[in-house]
Amino acid sequence: MNEYWSGRVEAAINAARGDVSIDDLPIRTNETSHAYSVRFNGVGNYPLYAYLHIPKSDGPHVPLFQAPGYGSVVAVPPYERRASYIVLALCHRGQRLSNSQYSAAYPGLLTDGLPGENTYVWGDIVADCITALQILLQQPNIDASRLAISGGDLALITAALTEGVYALQSGGLMFADIDNRIAGDPDYPLAEFNDFKRTYPDAWVEAQATLSNYDPMALAVGIDAKKVMLSAGASEKGYYDDLASALSGETTVRVNLGKGHLDHIAQEEWLANACGIEPGPAHYPRA
């Protein structure tokens, strides 16, 4: 772990030792799981919110940290996850329900605070994930030896900065191969980097140095997950194959079909199999 991350991780772990409020959330409770609202403070005493779902079946259960994606709203975890895992879904600072002091802009969040290492907001966002993961591990009736993480960049970065992750399911990495990917005409959110370059051309070299801390290839050495699935588009498979080669665990690279439901089911089945549990009952047919 480099100097950029070491202090941030330490501060995030310390934040998880603060007060945590866990309250019933009846509207999200269903026949398979109890739902709760979790409120706690992240680094800088920033107030954060997360959904927590605990299966009604006997445990111990696999703890699953659902890292937030790139968007203003975090949905409750998928139906089948709630039945099978103790799953915590974080709303990081700036997202809805964690936006009392700061509201993230979309587009805009990907470059918010660049070029400086100490001002780039993603350092605090990653710290939010570390804090939330520690709170998940504080819950009773879990099997911490099978800790799982799922999501995009924040899942991969959190796994790289956390010891003892068993299964990691990730993909759609915004911080992957930035310079090559923005040389063309990428869609948003990646296009935010080109917006920044046009607006602040003299600051791009410093921004690159900051962004290098989020490079998946550089972070790969810290990922000790025993089982990994990387989901990729067909045109990205070469990069993800190289990333898989840099990981120490048993890694599967899966090319997405571009059919959301089928891709979702494949990812959920892989995650359940990796964790040694039965997939939860699907809310929709699997075929």
Side-chain angles (χ1 to χ4, degrees), residues 191-211:
E192 292 181 38
F193 291 126
N194 280 337
D195 292 343
F196 181 90
K197 285 181 67 176
R198 284 190 294 268
T199 307
Y200 309 104
D202 295 337
W204 181 240
V205 171
E206 184 181 355
Q208 287 176 302
T210 296
L211 293 169

Side-chain angles (χ1 to χ4, degrees), residues 99-236:
N99 60 347
S100 62
Q101 297 182 12
Y102 162 71
S103 292
Y106 300 93
L109 179 63
L110 198 54
T111 58
D112 192 350
L114 284 178
E117 286 189 340
N118 292 326
T119 55
Y120 190 39
V121 71
W122 281 77
D124 288 335
I125 288 172
V126 170
D128 293 342
C129 293
I130 300 292
T131 300
L133 177 60
Q134 296 303 313
I135 288 171
L136 171 61
L137 291 174
Q138 294 171 11
Q139 302 311 305
N141 204 26
I142 64 169
D143 180 358
S145 69
R146 290 186 289 171
L147 171 63
I149 300 178
S150 73
D153 291 83
L154 290 172
L156 186 137
I157 297 169
T158 301
L161 301 176
T162 302
E163 295 181 357
V165 177
Y166 183 78
L168 168 65
Q169 187 273 313
S170 187
L173 303 176
M174 298 181 294
F175 292 105
D177 200 21
I178 292 173
D179 287 330
N180 287 328
R181 292 167 69 205
I182 67 174
D185 187 21
D187 294 330
Y188 286 92
L190 203 63
E192 292 181 38
F193 291 126
N194 280 337
D195 292 343
F196 181 90
K197 285 181 67 176
R198 284 190 294 268
T199 307
Y200 309 104
D202 295 337
W204 181 240
V205 171
E206 184 181 355
Q208 287 176 302
T210 296
L211 293 169
S212 68
N213 294 292
Y214 298 80
D215 180 0
M217 289 293 185
L219 290 163
V221 67
I223 297 174
D224 62 357
K226 302 296 186 295
K227 300 191 177 184
V228 181
M229 171 190 264
L230 300 173
S231 300
S235 64
E236 304 169 318

Side-chain angles (χ1 to χ4, degrees), residues 19-63:
D19 293 336
V20 179
S21 172
I22 301 178
D23 300 305
D24 286 328
L25 187 60
I27 196 171
R28 299 299 185 188
T29 293
N30 62 18
E31 67 277 12
T32 64
S33 65
H34 295 285
Y36 302 90
S37 293
V38 184
R39 294 178 174 85
F40 56 98
N41 286 343
V43 171
N45 289 320
Y46 189 98
L48 297 168
Y49 179 91
Y51 296 103
L52 176 67
H53 295 265
I54 300 177
K56 292 181 177 179
S57 58
D58 294 335
H61 299 289
V62 172

